[in-house]
């Protein structure tokens, strides 16, 4: 694949602009006493840089891994958890069973207390899920739960029973981020700025724009975390994260542009990682808004107009391969081999636009959350330039994450035409991964109406055997590709800089949990 000479010059110019942010490699990193070199000492406060402002710590809402989701996973716990490979593990539930297709039974761990001293009981757990299932609850997690769950009840002091509307053979995996708190706190506390959980850390303070401070939970039932004190710093701009590393003000920083990692190649104070993640990057399409995007030919034209390989090689250091025209990717899912990528073909894009009667009148707005995705702003500019070459004009709005999220949660008529966003699986072989892309979704990866796709996903998530599930996945991925409900880009890249003296293995799911950081 190739780009025109003028397009290549524009892309090179973008790279040059991005590279100037990183002139001068970092010159210091914190040791144990605040001096350069060495492992952090016992009294060292672990400082972790996140790239998105917080929207709140409500345990019954979902959380971004680049933001409050990482903090929630340190102060709260769920019945289950996921290991770094996406496999489900016991957490507050010590074991579980599935005696019938519509019943799951979870036995709670003994001796667990919430941070206010309240014992963990089946009654407290059942109350949490009753709140999530309440028709008045607007929680995104609750909306998912209501689809397949009729009720959750307590049986004695330590058994929780899920009564399902339809089979969910992977239910333990689905529950990993349904965090639990006490009914008393829910009714009297500030859910966004306070926390009562069972996790390894306690929340000391939080500033939704700037970060959170935590301290180890002295009554934690599990392994004691290595660091007594933790500070999560919100650094939403690329320049701020680079500056913090250069000054030795953070121990781990995430979501730097891949090109910036070259600046740290010879620096012994930090080690850099660049990998793909379990997420896929897409440009979601707001079909429900009407206009040109309601025509499948215009959506297909957008896919053909983007030279994904050129952007990957130019801005992401060739770390990933273009998506195969679907919204699932390794390591948790194997793409459908029958579905192929939309290759770069600007001639075909122009032909489709002409057939649709939209050769020169397509004007779209693309929303990008600032500081969220590696090279996000530069990628948006490259996409706009390539789209312009086939007659599609794209303007870009880049805003901090909370403001960006607020806009995306508006009705389709007020939301952006296009949104640059990453979404993906958290655990293996769970087909709830398709939820954000269905018509029923409360998330704004989807502003579509496709009853055929929705029906396939409903049947998939109720499948009782793997063979049936695989067949439905094949049909669903083919349908989503053919309707071009999104611009398929590539698996998400994940970058990090880790101070010498620390041990931490990046999760493909991108979460940065303080309790997983150790000393060498």
């Amino acid at each position: 694949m190739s780009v025109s000479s003028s397009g290549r010059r524009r892309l090179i110019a973008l790279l040059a602009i991005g590279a100037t942010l990183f002139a001068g490699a970092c010159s210091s990193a914190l040791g144990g006493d605040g001096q350069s070199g060495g492992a952090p000492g016992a009294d060292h406060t672990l400082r972790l840089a996140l790239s998105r402002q917080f929207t709140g710590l409500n345990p019954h809402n979902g959380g971004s891994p680049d933001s409050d989701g990482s903090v929630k996973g340190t102060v709260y716990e769920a019945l289950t958890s996921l290991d770094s490979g996406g496999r489900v593990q016991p957490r507050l539930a010590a074991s579980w069973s599935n005696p019938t297709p519509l019943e799951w039974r979870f036995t709670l761990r003994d001796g667990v207390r919430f941070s206010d001293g309240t014992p963990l009981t089946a009654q407290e757990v059942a109350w949490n899920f009753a709140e999530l299932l309440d028709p008045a609850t607007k929680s995104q997690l609750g909306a998912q739960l209501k689809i397949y769950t009729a009720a959750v009840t307590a049986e004695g002091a330590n058994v929780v029973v899920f009564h399902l509307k339809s089979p969910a053979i992977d239910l333990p995996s689905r529950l990993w981020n349904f965090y639990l708190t006490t009914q008393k706190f829910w009714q009297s506390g500030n859910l966004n700025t306070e926390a009562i959980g069972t996790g390894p850390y306690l929340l000391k303070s939080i500033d939704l724009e700037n970060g959170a401070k935590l301290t180890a939970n002295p009554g934690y039932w599990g392994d004691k975390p290595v660091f007594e004190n933790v500070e999560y710093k919100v650094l939403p701009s690329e320049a701020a994260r680079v500056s913090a590393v250069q000054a030795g003000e953070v121990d781990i920083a995430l979501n730097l542009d891949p090109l910036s990692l070259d600046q740290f190649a010879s620096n012994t104070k930090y080690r850099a990682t660049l990998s793909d993640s379990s997420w896929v990057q897409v440009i979601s399409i707001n079909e429900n808004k009407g206009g040109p995007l309601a025509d499948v030919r215009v959506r297909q034209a957008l896919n053909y107009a983007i030279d994904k390989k050129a952007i990957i090689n130019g801005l992401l250091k060739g770390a990933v391969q273009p998506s195969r025209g679907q919204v699932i990717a390794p390591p948790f899912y194997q793409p459908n081999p029958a579905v192929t990528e939309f290759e770069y073909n600007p001639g075909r894009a122009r032909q489709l636009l002409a057939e649709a009667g939209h050769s020169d009148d397509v004007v779209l707005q693309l929303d990008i959350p600032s500081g969220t995705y590696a090279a996000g702003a530069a990628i948006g500019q490259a996409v706009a330039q390539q789209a312009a070459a086939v007659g599609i004009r794209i303007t870009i709005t880049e805003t901090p994450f909370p403001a960006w999220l607020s806009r995306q949660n508006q009705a389709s008529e007020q939301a952006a035409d296009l949104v640059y966003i990453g979404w993906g699986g958290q655990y293996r072989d769970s087909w709830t991964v398709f939820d954000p892309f269905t018509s029923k979704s409360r998330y704004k990866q989807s502003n579509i109406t496709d009853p055929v796709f929705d029906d396939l996903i409903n049947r998939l998530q109720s499948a009782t055997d793997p063979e049936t599930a695989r067949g439905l996945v094949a049909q669903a991925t083919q349908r989503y590709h053919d309707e071009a409900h999104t611009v398929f880009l590539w698996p998400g890249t994940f970058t990090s800089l880790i101070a010498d003296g620390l041990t931490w293995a990046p999760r493909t799911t991108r979460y940065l949990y303080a309790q997983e950081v150790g000393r060498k």
Side-chain angles (χ1 to χ4, degrees):
M1 299 181 186
S2 62
V3 293
S4 66
S5 59
S6 60
R8 186 177 293 107
R9 287 195 297 271
R10 286 193 295 268
L11 190 54
I12 290 172
L14 280 172
L15 301 183
I17 292 170
T20 61
L21 290 174
F22 314 114
C26 66
S27 58
S28 66
L30 285 183
D33 56 0
Q35 304 301 314
S36 62
D43 60 348
H44 178 68
T45 296
L46 180 66
R47 292 155 307 170
L48 308 174
L50 299 174
S51 59
R52 281 180 170 179
Q53 292 178 347
F54 301 149
T55 57
L57 293 184
N58 185 326
H60 290 181
N61 287 340
S64 163
D66 312 301
S67 178
D68 40 63
S70 288
V71 179
K72 288 180 187 180
T74 67
V75 296
Y76 287 110
E77 293 178 303
L79 291 175
T80 63
S81 64
L82 301 177
D83 63 22
S84 59
R87 291 170 290 267
V88 64
Q89 303 292 343
R91 201 65 183 172
L92 295 180
S95 62
W96 49 81
S97 63
N98 185 202
T100 71
L102 297 180
E103 181 181 304
W104 279 88
R105 301 172 64 84
F106 292 81
T107 300
L108 299 181
R109 193 180 296 276
D110 292 330
V112 178
R113 290 182 176 271
F114 290 92
S115 55
D116 66 351
T118 302
L120 175 72
T121 64
Q123 287 72 28
E124 287 283 0
V125 175
W127 174 86
N128 276 263
F129 284 98
E131 195 283 327
L132 284 158
L133 290 171
D134 188 326
T137 298
K138 299 185 182 300
S139 159
Q140 294 170 338
L141 289 175
Q144 296 172 22
L145 188 71
K146 292 169 190 174
I147 295 169
Y148 55 86
T149 305
V152 180
T153 61
E155 187 174 292
N158 68 340
V159 176
V160 179
V161 184
F162 282 72
H163 308 275
L164 304 183
K165 300 175 184 177
S166 58
I169 57 177
D170 60 345
L171 181 64
S173 296
R174 298 187 191 186
L175 299 178
W176 71 273
N177 66 339
F178 283 80
Y179 294 126
L180 305 176
T181 189
T182 68
Q183 182 176 1
K184 179 181 177 181
F185 171 66
W186 186 269
Q187 294 170 343
S188 61
N190 187 321
L191 299 173
N192 283 326
T193 59
E194 300 173 2
I196 298 295
T198 62
Y201 281 97
L202 306 176
L203 178 70
K204 292 174 61 178
S205 64
I206 186 169
D207 178 332
L208 296 182
E209 292 187 0
N210 298 304
K213 294 181 179 180
L214 309 138
T215 188
N217 180 357
Y220 184 54
W221 61 268
D223 294 335
K224 180 179 174 62
V226 170
F227 291 92
E228 182 72 19
N229 296 297
V230 175
E231 182 178 1
Y232 280 95
K233 296 184 175 218
V234 174
L235 301 175
S237 75
E238 170 80 8
R241 291 192 294 280
V242 170
S243 176
V245 172
Q246 290 174 334
E249 294 173 349
V250 295
D251 298 309
I252 299 178
L254 306 183
N255 288 346
L256 288 90
D257 286 358
L259 293 175
S260 74
L261 298 184
D262 290 341
Q263 303 293 323
F264 304 96
S266 60
N267 189 287
T268 61
K269 305 294 176 31
Y270 287 86
R271 65 185 184 278
T273 69
L274 169 60
S275 61
D276 58 1
S277 70
S278 60
W279 295 46
V280 291
Q281 291 293 145
V282 301
I283 296 176
S284 74
I285 297 175
N286 187 349
E287 302 172 26
N288 291 342
K289 197 172 184 178
L293 292 176
D295 192 314
V296 66
R297 293 168 294 186
V298 175
R299 303 194 299 267
Q300 291 170 341
L302 266 173
N303 274 279
Y304 285 119
I306 308 306
D307 189 346
K308 294 177 279 291
K309 285 189 176 179
I311 296 175
I312 289 168
N313 291 334
L315 294 172
L316 300 177
K317 295 186 68 176
V320 293
Q321 293 296 318
S323 166
R324 297 188 58 174
Q326 45 205 298
V327 292
I328 54 175
F332 298 162
Y333 311 92
Q334 290 307 311
N336 181 356
V339 176
T340 58
E341 68 177 277
F342 284 90
E343 75 277 8
Y344 176 54
N345 190 337
R348 177 63 175 149
R350 284 188 286 267
Q351 179 186 359
L352 286 165
L353 289 170
E355 291 175 2
H358 291 292
S359 293
D360 59 2
D361 66 345
V362 181
V363 180
L364 306 171
Q365 186 177 63
L366 169 62
D367 271 12
I368 300 174
S370 60
T372 297
Y373 304 114
I379 287 170
Q381 293 292 338
V383 165
Q385 290 167 2
Q386 292 172 356
V390 303
I392 298 174
R393 296 189 294 280
I394 294 177
T395 60
I396 296 173
T397 300
E398 188 178 11
T399 53
F401 178 67
W404 173 88
L405 184 63
S406 176
R407 181 178 184 192
Q408 304 322 316
N409 284 334
Q410 296 182 76
S412 298
E413 293 74 18
Q414 283 76 48
D417 304 301
L418 306 170
V419 177
Y420 182 65
I421 195 165
W423 192 262
Q426 305 290 353
Y427 48 95
R428 296 178 182 273
D429 301 325
S430 174
W431 304 114
T432 55
V433 67
F434 287 108
D435 276 345
F437 301 97
T438 60
S439 306
K440 65 188 178 185
S441 175
R442 291 174 58 87
Y443 298 94
K444 293 305 177 182
Q445 285 80 338
S446 173
N447 267 299
I448 72 168
T449 302
D450 187 341
V452 174
F453 180 73
D454 293 346
D455 178 64
L456 288 167
I457 299 309
N458 288 337
R459 289 157 55 198
L460 167 63
Q461 293 177 354
S462 299
T464 56
D465 65 274
E467 183 176 355
T468 299
R470 284 192 292 268
L472 290 165
V473 168
Q475 295 179 62
T477 50
Q478 189 69 62
R479 171 74 181 185
Y480 207 79
H481 170 276
D482 294 347
E483 291 296 312
H485 285 313
T486 193
V487 180
F488 305 95
L489 296 176
W490 45 74
T493 54
F494 187 35
T495 60
S496 61
L497 284 167
I498 307 163
D500 184 42
L502 296 182
T503 60
W504 179 67
R507 286 174 170 254
T508 60
T509 54
R510 306 162 63 99
Y511 286 87
L512 176 51
Y513 300 129
Q515 64 268 29
E516 295 183 345
V517 182
R519 295 186 180 91
K520 287 184 177 178

